[in-house]
Amino acid sequence: MSLLIHLRCSKCGAVYDADRVQGVCPRCGKPLLAIYDLEGASSLLDRAALRGRPPSLWRYRELLPVRDDRHIVSLGEGWTPLLRAERLGGRLGLRDLWIKDEGLNPTGTFKARGLSVAVSRALELGVRRLAIPSAGNAAAALAAYGAKAGLEVHVYMPRDAPRVNIVEAMAYGADVTLVDGLITDAARLLEETAKRRGWMVVSTLKEPYRLEGKKTMGYELAEQMDWRLPDVIVYPTGGGTGLIGMWKGFEELEALGWIPEHRPRMVSVQASGCAPIVKAFKEGREESEPWPEAETIASGLRVPKALGDFLILRVLRESRGTAVAVSDDEILNAMRLMAKLEGVFPCPEGAATLAGLRHLIDEGWIDPDEHIVLFNTGTGLKYTHLLEATR
Ligand SMILES: *Cc1c(COP(=O)(O)O)cnc(C)c1O
């Protein structure tokens, strides 16, 4: 069923066996990408075959890495609504604005996509103990899919991670360890323990399959728009898997002959308290530098140095996109505005895309007639404390 053939290093191109547990490229330490037999697929699979399939990301079964259906661990992730934002567009002077609302995913964020696929594939490869260092939503999603699959889950979080994520992970039965310090400290401590105990660590881009779940945001966008892509996609960027994944998805759809060549300009939005990609993009660099003392209310964007930074920057350039930084105040205002005008209560990261869009309009980077999609990556219901504090 799956057309997966092997894994390939995103940096050096070395090829690895996909049917064994793999982490990053052993040669250069960079992420491995799942490669599919798309030539085989174009004769075997066409777009019409998708009609009538389940309304979840598993409708793209052949283009996902799980070989046997019995290993799929699903809570109904994906196939989220693509909403026309008419009132918000009107307010901003835009004629064709849309919101892809990822807040409807299990556990309330798009992290469910990546972890559904990663947990399914880990189960298939015989892994029984999973672990993750996380500042929030990824921990909850891993814990939920681990619970569904009956696997052991270990979560290492900074002691100051949002309460909701800690409580959530515990409710799903994960073993939660709170660490003094930042996510990087939690990750270091977890690496040591995981090696000793034989846990598989599913950190962002350190295993190949979370990205596969996230690329389905790109597939869905194409399918929901009748196989044409928008002019501009605005995405909140932390580790960058959403952006890198969607771009990989578009490449695959183009190889299948399912979409025309026209690709969206991709925009990374970051918080001004942690904007390593924005800085590197403006300076024309190929990699980012670690951002000192990263601080923002958008905890998903608090990533001082992304492992896939060179891939994010490549996507921004190839797509003729850009990168924008927005303040926490702008994010809070955007949360209220999106909720008030569209009935979509966004997470701070999702609201950041709206704040970023306003910058792009002011700069004249966006044409009022363009077809624009904002990604709300999670539900605001996890973040009511942010608005209470600033009422
Ligand atoms: C993790 C997270 C992000 C950042 O996503 P990447 O694709 O890894 O850059 C954005 N929003 C929310 C709600 C998140 O949990």
Side-chain angles (χ1 to χ4, degrees), residues 110 211 214-215 217-218 235-236 239-247 266:
F110 83 116
L211 191 70
K214 293 183 175 180
K215 79 177 179 189
M217 290 189 291
Y235 194 85
T241 50
L243 203 83
I244 301 165
M246 275 195 275
W247 198 250
M266 306 292 282

Side-chain angles (χ1 to χ4, degrees), residues 31 205 239-240 244 277 306-313:
L205 291 174
I244 301 165
I277 298 295
L307 187 62
D309 55 357
F310 66 106
L311 297 171
I312 303 170
L313 290 159

Side-chain angles (χ1 to χ4, degrees), residues 203-214:
S203 302
T204 302
L205 291 174
K206 290 202 173 172
E207 61 74 52
Y209 300 122
R210 280 174 67 185
L211 191 70
E212 294 306 291
K214 293 183 175 180

